[in-house]
Amino acid sequence: MSGNTFGTLFAVTNFGESHGPAIGCVIDGCPPGMALSEADIQGDLDRRRPGTSRHVTQRNEPDAVQILSGVYEGKTTGTPIALLIQNTDQRSKDYGQIAQQFRPGHADFAYWKKYGIRDPRGGGRSSARLTAPMVAAGAVAKKWLNEKYGTVFRGCMAQIGDIAIPFESWEHVPNNPFFAPIADVSKLEAYMDALRKAGDSCGARIRVTASKVPVGLGEPLFDKMDADIAWAMMGINAVKGVEIGAGFASVTQRGTVHGDSITPEGFESNNAGGTLGGITTGQDLEVSIAIKPTSSIISPRRSVDVNNQPVEVVTKGRHDPCVGIRATPIAEAMLALVVMEHALRNRAQCGDVQGEQEQGQADADARPSPQASFL
C-alpha cells in the first residue's frame, strides 16, 4: 500500500493498524548529533492520546513511545530512527457487526472497493490512531528546528461546532481539554455534554502557527511552502479545508488591505500567512484547518452491506464526539514536518548563499548605520 511515507530529506514512514499489536514510524534523514530520548517525544504524544477527558474517546492507550534505533549514547546517529507505540486497549468485538457493512462518512466503502479487503477493527489503516506516529516524528522535528533556529510551534482550537472561540492567550491552551485559548471553557463543556447525550458529533476549526521560521524556505513552483502545508494538513484524518493566512477572508479584502505593507522595521500585517511566492518571509506561519464531524456515532444511519443490500448502521465502541479536540498536537506535528523538510532542502541548496548573507550582515553590523533595517 503506497502513500505511507511523508517527506524526502526528512522521510517519515508510518506503519500499523488501529487494532494491530503496535503502530509506529521510521524517520530517515534526521541530522546526527542531536540529543534525543523518549522523554523528548512523550510530551506531545500525551497531549494527543485518548482517554484524557470525558469529551474524547475513552480508549485508554498510554501511547508510550520506544526508540528502537538511530540513537547511540543519547544522540542521533544520522541513521533511521524507529519509533514504536504498543496498542494495549483494543476492543475489536465492537466492530464485529460492521465487518460486512459500510459506515457512512468512513473510508470503509472506498477501501473495500480499492483493495478488495479491509480491516474493519477501529477503521484499520484509516483510523486517526495512525496520527500518533506522526506526532512522535513531529516532536523530533520540533526539537531540531528549535535548537537550530529557535522555531516554536503552537496550536489552539478556534471553533467547535457553531461556537466560535475568541483568542485570549496562549497560556490558557494547556489548561483545558479543548486546547482552547480562553480561561473559561464551561460553555464548551456543556455543548459537548449535550452533543454526546444526543448521540451526535460536530466539527472544529484548529489554528496552528510557527514562530521564528527561517527566511527563504520553500521551492517555486510546485513545492511552495504553503502548498506543502496544505498537502500535509489534508493528510490528517477528517480535515476538509485548509487556510493560509487570511485564507478565504481574502475574497472580501481589497488589495489595499490584503497586501502586507513593508517598512524598515518589518511587515505591518500578515495576511499572507508567512509566505510570499511560496517562500517563507520570516513572519509567523499562520494556518487554519477545518475538521469534519466524527463519522462514528450511535445514531442510526442508512447504508448498504457488501452485497449492496440496505442496512441501518449503528457504530458502537469508543469514539470522539469531536475529533478536532485532539487535533491540535497533530496539526502542530505536520507543520513541523513540513518546515523540517524545507529547512533541510534549503540548507542543501542555498547554504552557501545564506553563509554569504550572514557574513555580509555581520560586516554591515560592524559599521555604524543611521537607520535600522529588518533586511
Side-chain angles (χ1 to χ4, degrees):
M1 183 173 163
S2 58
N4 298 303
T5 299
F6 181 94
T8 302
L9 295 188
F10 193 84
V12 180
T13 300
N14 181 302
F15 65 85
E17 292 83 32
S18 177
H19 284 213
I23 56 177
C25 67
V26 176
I27 304 170
D28 197 4
C30 182
M34 179 179 73
L36 185 68
S37 68
E38 282 94 349
D40 294 317
I41 302 170
Q42 195 61 52
D44 275 355
L45 283 172
D46 289 344
R47 294 170 67 217
R48 191 222 69 98
R49 77 179 186 87
T52 53
S53 79
R54 71 176 189 271
H55 306 296
V56 300
T57 173
Q58 294 306 293
R59 179 172 175 174
N60 187 22
E61 294 285 0
D63 281 355
V65 66
Q66 296 173 264
I67 299 177
L68 303 183
S69 65
V71 176
Y72 177 69
E73 295 185 342
K75 292 188 176 182
T76 58
T77 61
T79 59
I81 300 171
L83 304 177
L84 188 71
I85 302 168
Q86 301 283 348
N87 287 330
T88 63
D89 190 29
Q90 310 96 312
R91 278 197 344 208
S92 300
K93 61 182 177 63
D94 290 339
Y95 299 88
Q97 184 178 350
I98 64 165
Q100 302 298 312
Q101 302 174 346
F102 304 121
R103 294 168 295 175
H106 269 282
D108 299 347
F109 177 78
Y111 266 60
W112 187 69
K113 281 291 188 180
K114 179 176 176 66
Y115 301 106
I117 187 172
R118 69 182 177 94
D119 181 351
R121 304 167 304 166
R125 186 70 181 144
S126 67
S127 171
R129 177 117 186 90
L130 274 301
T131 60
M134 304 312 290
V135 170
V140 177
K142 282 182 180 180
K143 182 169 187 183
W144 190 88
L145 289 165
N146 183 262
E147 291 183 358
K148 185 72 173 179
Y149 304 110
T151 309
V152 175
F153 297 87
R154 294 181 292 192
C156 65
M157 180 178 282
Q159 184 171 342
I160 187 165
D162 53 11
I163 301 179
I165 303 173
F167 184 87
E168 293 178 2
S169 172
W170 288 112
E171 295 178 357
H172 300 310
V173 174
N175 299 325
N176 64 79
F178 300 97
F179 297 90
I182 56 176
D184 183 5
V185 297
S186 57
K187 184 177 180 180
L188 308 184
E189 291 182 323
Y191 181 81
M192 291 307 300
D193 288 341
L195 195 67
R196 185 183 288 277
K197 187 176 295 185
D200 215 336
S201 60
C202 71
R205 180 187 180 100
I206 305 299
R207 174 193 173 197
V208 59
T209 73
S211 303
K212 295 186 179 179
V213 178
V215 180
L217 305 187
E219 313 289 343
L221 292 173
F222 304 110
D223 290 334
K224 296 176 180 177
M225 173 61 76
D226 41 359
D228 281 358
I229 290 172
W231 175 68
M233 295 300 168
M234 289 299 293
I236 300 173
N237 305 60
V239 171
K240 286 297 182 182
V242 181
E243 291 186 325
I244 309 293
F248 284 96
S250 304
V251 175
T252 59
Q253 288 180 332
R254 300 293 179 90
T256 50
V257 174
H258 180 80
D260 301 314
S261 297
I262 307 174
T263 71
E265 288 72 38
F267 292 88
E268 291 186 336
S269 56
N270 193 16
N271 289 303
T275 70
L276 290 171
I279 298 173
T280 56
T281 62
Q283 292 182 278
D284 289 358
L285 290 175
E286 284 283 352
V287 185
S288 289
I289 59 175
I291 297 177
K292 72 175 185 177
T294 311
S295 298
S296 295
I297 55 178
I298 61 173
S299 296
R301 289 167 295 165
R302 292 185 300 168
S303 186
V304 295
D305 62 18
V306 294
N307 298 312
N308 202 36
Q309 295 301 304
V311 294
E312 185 176 72
V313 175
V314 175
T315 307
K316 298 178 182 179
R318 301 160 293 177
H319 306 285
D320 297 85
C322 176
V323 290
I325 291 178
R326 294 193 291 132
T328 295
I330 303 168
E332 289 177 14
M334 296 309 295
L335 183 58
L337 291 174
V338 174
V339 175
M340 182 72 180
E341 173 73 16
H342 278 283
L344 294 180
R345 286 192 201 179
N346 197 56
R347 187 172 69 164
Q349 181 187 20
C350 299
D352 291 341
V353 175
Q354 294 169 342
E356 292 171 2
Q357 289 177 338
E358 290 169 0
Q359 183 59 50
Q361 185 62 52
D363 293 341
D365 291 342
R367 299 190 298 269
S369 174
Q371 183 176 12
S373 172
F374 82 107
L375 295 175

